[in-house]
Amino acid sequence: MGLKPGDVIRGHYQIIRELSRGGFGVTYLVKDIDRLDDASPIVIKQIKIPQQQEEGEVRKNNYLKNLERESQTLSRLNHDRIPKLLGRFK
């Protein structure tokens, strides 16, 4: 956590500002500096992976599997009220 305006992620997503912060992570408004048009806002959600010592890697792996399943479902949805998933990365 801790990205600030001006930071660039993956070489082309530049942080404009933080939108919200909660227990699961932080959401940022960004712009794709590789695109010439500024028409579509882009949001990046930085997700905090739980780090509990008791269950270790099993808990972390299950959490990552659930995130993967959620992103696959979101990528198949097409509705004007649901944000379009452009990609995901670690």
Side-chain angles (χ1 to χ4, degrees), residues 58-87:
V58 172
R59 180 179 172 92
K60 181 178 176 182
N61 288 338
N62 286 338
Y63 191 82
L64 292 173
K65 284 179 189 175
N66 287 337
L67 287 173
E68 179 67 25
R69 186 177 21 222
E70 181 179 340
S71 68
Q72 288 174 358
T73 300
L74 188 56
S75 71
R76 291 191 300 267
L77 298 176
N78 186 15
H79 190 277
D80 63 345
R81 300 279 185 184
I82 299 173
K84 182 177 180 182
L85 178 68
L86 299 177

Side-chain angles (χ1 to χ4, degrees), residues 2-80:
L3 298 171
K4 56 189 180 306
D7 286 351
V8 177
I9 302 168
R10 297 195 73 199
H12 63 108
Y13 296 118
Q14 185 176 36
I15 303 293
I16 297 171
R17 66 183 170 93
E18 184 178 305
L19 292 174
S20 67
R21 179 178 293 266
F24 293 108
V26 183
T27 305
Y28 298 95
L29 179 65
V30 304
K31 68 177 179 179
D32 186 341
I33 58 179
D34 288 342
R35 291 184 58 175
L36 298 177
D37 64 342
D38 259 352
S40 300
I42 299 173
V43 174
I44 288 182
K45 185 172 186 177
Q46 184 180 31
I47 298 172
K48 181 173 38 174
I49 306 291
Q51 299 294 320
Q52 295 196 359
Q53 299 298 324
E54 301 165 359
E55 299 162 15
E57 287 300 309
V58 172
R59 180 179 172 92
K60 181 178 176 182
N61 288 338
N62 286 338
Y63 191 82
L64 292 173
K65 284 179 189 175
N66 287 337
L67 287 173
E68 179 67 25
R69 186 177 21 222
E70 181 179 340
S71 68
Q72 288 174 358
T73 300
L74 188 56
S75 71
R76 291 191 300 267
L77 298 176
N78 186 15
H79 190 277
D80 63 345

